[in-house]
Amino acid sequence: MLARLSQTPLGPIARRAKRTAKAIVRALAPVHHAMPLPLGEVQAEVEILDPLHALEPDATVPVRVKLMNLTGRPWASAGTHPVQLAYRWETWFHEDFGEETRLPLPQVLEPGQEQIVTIPLRTPDHVGDFVLDVGLTQPGVGRFHEHGYDPYPGKRRLPVHLTGKRATDIDYHEVYRTADLQTNHWWVVGAFHSQ
């Protein structure tokens, strides 16, 4: 009957009524997962929105991540098998560095919906070059992108350089007086031993 109504002037009203009915059902019956999702229902797009070229070690940084549900089923962080946002640090040689951190979704992620989430990213306590890997995960399924659908891995994986903490009490005059400018005149100008 709704298909016939959509061909009449009452079509927009019928579509709004259908959307309102779906919203009421979602509000009265919240989404929760009592079992793992089927593998066909774990397709997502994840993108790190903030540039993270250089960070300090052992710090917490707010980072915006865009999530998109590309399936026909809503996802939530409720139930015995919650869908969660997870991040982990890897070395430059693709080895895990530390434990994976899992965070709940702030709200239900509906099919086709896009959501921007700010996560408190905790950096490793070592200086060096790392790769940040962000994705969605669920107990019993694992990381969604490991099941074959990962269209833009460059958006959810980001190289990050962790530098030493910046000193605020540097005596630049003393540094200049004691610097060997004949060997490396760039050291006084920049923070590192390079141009």
Side-chain angles (χ1 to χ4, degrees), residues 143-170:
R143 294 173 68 83
F144 286 11
H145 67 269
E146 292 174 349
H147 294 286
Y149 188 82
D150 194 13
Y152 309 109
K155 290 183 176 182
R156 66 170 185 77
R157 291 177 56 84
L158 199 65
V160 180
H161 179 71
L162 297 183
T163 64
K165 293 187 183 289
R166 301 191 187 282
T168 56
D169 56 348
I170 294 176

Side-chain angles (χ1 to χ4, degrees), residues 26 30 37 54 98 106 110 138 174 178 186:
R26 282 195 303 267
L37 292 167
E110 297 291 340
Q138 184 190 34
E174 180 64 26
T178 59
W186 285 105

Side-chain angles (χ1 to χ4, degrees), residues 63-74:
V63 176
R64 292 175 307 130
V65 177
K66 182 175 78 172
L67 309 173
M68 182 177 277
N69 182 347
L70 300 177
T71 70
R73 183 178 299 209

Side-chain angles (χ1 to χ4, degrees), residues 76-95:
S77 285
T80 57
H81 290 74
V83 174
Q84 298 170 313
L85 179 62
Y87 71 85
R88 66 182 173 196
W89 291 96
E90 296 178 358
T91 66
W92 210 246
F93 304 104
H94 305 290
E95 299 166 343

Side-chain angles (χ1 to χ4, degrees), residues 2-125:
L2 285 176
R4 284 191 223 134
L5 276 177
S6 66
Q7 305 299 326
T8 69
L10 294 175
I13 296 171
R15 285 191 290 277
R16 276 196 301 272
K18 185 177 178 182
R19 283 194 301 267
T20 303
K22 284 184 177 181
I24 291 171
V25 168
R26 282 195 303 267
L28 296 177
V31 178
H32 70 281
H33 301 288
M35 56 192 321
L37 292 167
L39 294 185
E41 298 291 333
V42 296
Q43 297 181 0
E45 188 175 320
V46 179
E47 179 180 359
I48 302 169
L49 297 177
D50 296 323
L52 303 172
H53 303 299
L55 299 175
E56 292 182 358
D58 200 25
T60 301
V61 181
V63 176
R64 292 175 307 130
V65 177
K66 182 175 78 172
L67 309 173
M68 182 177 277
N69 182 347
L70 300 177
T71 70
R73 183 178 299 209
W75 298 332
S77 285
T80 57
H81 290 74
V83 174
Q84 298 170 313
L85 179 62
Y87 71 85
R88 66 182 173 196
W89 291 96
E90 296 178 358
T91 66
W92 210 246
F93 304 104
H94 305 290
E95 299 166 343
D96 288 347
F97 191 87
E99 297 293 319
E100 179 177 72
T101 301
R102 296 180 182 178
L103 304 165
L105 296 176
Q107 63 189 42
V108 175
L109 191 58
E110 297 291 340
Q113 183 184 9
E114 181 181 291
Q115 189 177 103
I116 296 177
V117 179
T118 301
I119 63 172
L121 178 70
R122 187 74 185 166
T123 60
D125 59 355

